[in-house]
Amino acid sequence: MTKTKRKNADAAANSIGSFRTMGIFLLGTSGMINILALTGSFYMLQIYDRALTSHSIPTLVAISALAIGLYLFQGMFDILRSQILVRVGAGLDAKLAPLAHHVVIEMARYGYSTSEALERGRDVDVVRGFLGSQAPVAFFDLPWMPLFLGFVYLLHPVLGLVTLGGALVLISLTVATELMTRRAGGETHQAAVLRSTLADSHARNADILRAMGFGGRAVARFEKANSKHLALQTKTSDITGSFGGMSKVLRMMLQSALLGLGAFLTIKGELSAGAIIACSVASSRALAPIDSAIGNWKVISAARRSFRRLKQTLAATEDSAHILPLPAPCASLKVENITVVAPGSGSVLVGEVGFELKAGEALGLIGPSGGGKTSLAKGLVGVWPLLRGKVRLDDADLDQWRPDVLGEHIGYLPQEVSLLDGSIAENISRFEQEPDARKIIAAAKAAGIHELVTRMPEGYQTELGPSGTALSAGQRQRIGLARALYGEPFLVVLDEPNSNLDAPGEAALGEAIEGVKARGGVVVLIAHRPKALAAVDYVGVVQNGKLVAFGPKDKVVAEPARPIPFPAAATA
């Protein structure tokens, strides 16, 4: 394990381990609850062996009043334990949910589906729900089982041994439940992720499914995945339910056996009548945590898997607090033989690409579809990991920057523009907590959308809704361009920024590129239309994941042996 990963793993352990002190307190509170739970057994002993034999009403009243007081104390501690567990769950959620959500955002870079990434965020909910349920109560009560077993043993050794035997049988059932549900639980989780992935995919492509009439086939795919999930879930529930039913039957049989054995010992003069009832109450309390654990095993298993994934999730978070802040880049972009791989599969998409741009220069990347241009763009801005090579801003590798600081110096317009649920101003300002209105308007003007926005009824406060679906594709693209230009970043990477633009939009794009160059920025532009190259200084041709040509625009465009590989329809 590398030093950084070890540090992250330790930080993850500390984040979760910080609640151990509260766990020790809850264990002590459970001890008080279990000691007070002996009240019922002692009460039965005193009623049958003292109050009834003495025929004393004052003794009965005194014993009953004392028992009521002890029960109230037990209830108070029980409520306290429950409220503490709920607050521990809420505190854990408040501390870990933001970290887990950060990992959810990062997981897409490594090829995970949206649903699989969101599962990491749901892990926090599962653990919080577990802490708020009765399942953890069973674990806090389990260490105090010997207290009740010892009490029964003191009543009579034979009763104690029988109770101990019953406890061992129930523990064996718990172990069997764990062994038989472990694999099925993991498979059920994977099936649930697959089902969620299909549902998410179908929801995002609802217009395609409707327009081309294959929604029924999409439903059939979902039905197949759902059937598999239900079958695995039913299997797991059957195992848990069967062992839970067996444990309840065994508990009832054990209690009846103890009553019968107690009666036999009483007839022989070795046990009092009150001890029979006390033994029944104490043995029931001793075995209750095991029975509760078996009954809640499905919840326990889910929480354990989520807790394990949470530790892995937190260990994967990057610790950037120690990184020394660097001055804002202002001189150059250097790409040193980078190799970009596909997240998840690890396939090489772009290999050994290198070039250098100085401040005030713009590069246009062209080439056939599938040649690797978009993959190269994602490698330049750090969205996809690099297998080899470095991307440097003013000679500093991107890894030497804190992600939040680096983002201030990079503007990125992806091929598929997606706006977040919020206002136009919030989207342009990248959801800064205290955005500068002058910067927002400056970015909008640089993208040529200021007048377009001000014509809207609510102007910059216009709410876009999920993914900005209230706007046209061209409007989303231009707002995305304004977002990329916000704060005047040094490096601006634009992936087909004119794919949905009309003539005025393309003119505004050209002016925006010239504006970035004029203030000393660097632009990397991916284009499928020759008009987009009007403002660039250099042109690179990307084919089959390689940069096969690079040089001044006039030279590369005019080279007879290497015609510009634009689609015929895009040359207009």
Side-chain angles (χ1 to χ4, degrees):
M1 182 183 287
T2 66
K3 183 177 180 181
T4 302
K5 285 185 177 292
R6 189 180 298 110
K7 186 173 182 180
N8 290 338
D10 292 342
N14 291 335
S15 296
I16 297 176
S18 61
F19 293 93
R20 289 175 182 169
T21 302
M22 187 60 69
I24 295 173
F25 175 77
L26 287 169
L27 184 62
T29 304
S30 298
M32 292 296 299
I33 293 171
N34 281 273
I35 291 172
L36 290 170
L38 288 170
T39 299
S41 299
F42 280 108
Y43 182 68
M44 293 302 172
L45 278 173
Q46 297 302 312
I47 290 294
Y48 282 91
D49 295 346
R50 176 175 294 184
L52 291 180
T53 56
S54 65
H55 300 283
S56 172
I57 299 299
T59 300
L60 176 62
V61 172
I63 295 172
S64 299
L66 178 61
I68 290 172
L70 293 174
Y71 278 132
L72 289 175
F73 273 107
Q74 180 186 353
M76 180 184 69
F77 281 113
D78 216 344
I79 293 172
L80 177 64
R81 178 174 64 178
S82 176
Q83 292 182 348
I84 290 175
L85 281 170
V86 171
R87 281 157 179 77
V88 166
L92 192 73
D93 191 311
K95 191 169 186 178
L96 301 185
L99 297 175
H101 189 65
H102 173 73
V103 175
V104 168
I105 295 173
E106 291 291 310
M107 284 178 72
R109 297 175 54 206
Y110 297 94
Y112 292 91
S113 68
T114 303
S115 298
E116 194 167 2
L118 290 175
E119 280 296 315
R120 297 302 177 105
R122 295 190 188 101
D123 286 337
V124 180
D125 297 332
V126 172
V127 173
R128 188 191 68 241
F130 163 77
L131 291 172
S133 69
Q134 290 299 308
V137 172
F139 286 103
F140 283 115
D141 285 342
L142 276 172
W144 303 101
M145 275 181 59
L147 179 68
F148 298 95
L149 294 174
F151 177 80
V152 175
Y153 185 85
L154 289 176
L155 292 176
H156 197 284
V158 175
L159 295 176
L161 292 174
V162 171
T163 305
L164 177 61
L168 292 175
V169 171
L170 290 177
I171 291 173
S172 300
L173 288 177
T174 306
V175 174
T177 303
E178 160 64 13
L179 294 176
M180 295 186 68
T181 58
R182 180 179 297 175
R183 181 177 178 182
E187 292 176 348
T188 302
H189 174 74
Q190 292 299 323
V193 170
L194 176 60
R195 184 183 66 166
S196 298
T197 300
L198 286 175
D200 178 69
S201 175
H202 295 162
R204 285 187 289 106
N205 295 280
D207 51 347
I208 298 173
L209 299 178
R210 173 67 178 177
M212 292 190 283
F214 60 102
R217 276 168 262 171
V219 173
R221 289 181 69 207
F222 176 81
E223 185 179 9
K224 183 178 179 181
N226 189 54
S227 297
K228 181 179 179 181
H229 172 256
L230 290 176
L232 290 169
Q233 190 177 53
T234 301
K235 179 181 177 181
T236 305
S237 298
D238 285 345
I239 294 171
T240 306
S242 298
F243 281 106
M246 290 171 61
S247 70
K248 289 180 181 180
V249 170
L250 288 174
R251 271 189 64 196
M252 290 187 291
M253 291 175 62
L254 181 62
Q255 285 182 302
S256 297
L258 289 172
L259 287 172
L261 183 59
F264 172 76
L265 294 173
T266 301
I267 292 172
K268 295 194 66 176
E270 299 181 20
L271 198 68
S272 67
I276 299 176
I277 308 301
C279 170
S280 177
V281 174
S283 63
S284 176
R285 179 71 187 192
L287 302 177
I290 304 175
D291 189 51
S292 177
I294 295 175
N296 289 282
W297 200 257
K298 190 175 179 180
V299 176
I300 294 169
S301 297
R304 185 187 58 211
R305 288 192 298 271
S306 294
F307 189 80
R308 183 168 59 245
R309 285 194 299 268
L310 265 180
K311 293 185 71 174
Q312 296 170 353
T313 297
L314 296 178
T317 57
E318 296 181 3
D319 181 18
S320 60
H322 65 285
I323 297 178
L324 184 70
L326 298 175
C330 61
S332 65
L333 164 69
K334 294 181 181 179
V335 181
E336 300 177 348
N337 299 322
I338 65 172
T339 297
V340 183
V341 297
S345 68
S347 302
V348 175
L349 302 176
V350 175
E352 302 298 326
V353 171
F355 58 85
E356 180 178 353
L357 295 174
K358 299 293 186 181
E361 295 180 340
L363 166 66
L365 294 175
I366 59 177
S369 298
K373 301 184 299 298
T374 294
S375 301
L376 177 57
K378 291 183 177 181
L380 292 178
V381 298
V383 173
W384 280 3
L386 302 180
L387 182 63
R388 288 183 297 273
K390 301 290 183 182
V391 176
R392 299 183 184 276
L393 297 178
D394 289 7
D395 295 319
D397 180 16
L398 295 187
D399 291 338
Q400 297 179 24
W401 301 78
R402 284 173 44 187
D404 55 335
V405 176
L406 177 63
E408 296 176 359
H409 308 307
I410 291 180
Y412 176 51
L413 179 64
Q415 192 175 61
E416 296 182 5
V417 181
S418 181
L419 303 177
L420 302 183
D421 191 352
S423 68
I424 292 177
E426 287 174 324
N427 273 275
I428 293 177
S429 67
R430 308 180 186 185
F431 285 83
E432 278 191 352
Q433 291 186 353
E434 296 180 1
D436 188 334
R438 290 173 297 181
K439 289 183 179 180
I440 295 174
I441 294 173
K445 287 183 176 180
I449 62 165
H450 176 67
E451 293 183 358
L452 182 149
V453 174
T454 54
R455 288 195 197 101
M456 295 182 179
E458 298 182 30
Y460 284 92
Q461 282 66 52
T462 301
E463 292 291 329
L464 301 181
S467 302
T469 52
L471 303 176
S472 69
Q475 289 174 326
R476 289 199 301 272
Q477 196 161 41
R478 295 180 72 177
I479 291 175
L481 176 60
R483 180 177 60 187
L485 299 175
Y486 178 78
E488 298 188 346
F490 175 71
L491 173 61
V492 178
V493 178
L494 309 174
D495 191 352
E496 296 190 38
N498 61 338
S499 59
N500 296 301
L501 299 185
D502 52 15
E506 287 195 334
L509 173 64
E511 293 176 4
I513 295 173
E514 292 289 358
V516 175
K517 291 168 58 180
R519 61 175 172 79
V522 171
V523 179
V524 176
L525 169 73
I526 295 173
H528 272 168
R529 295 182 187 175
K531 286 184 179 180
L533 300 179
V536 305
D537 306 291
Y538 297 91
V539 170
V541 180
V542 181
Q543 290 181 340
N544 299 321
K546 300 289 184 180
L547 185 63
V548 298
F550 178 86
K553 177 178 63 174
D554 295 338
K555 181 179 178 181
V556 176
V557 171
E559 186 175 347
R562 195 183 304 280
I564 300 178
F566 285 117
T571 58

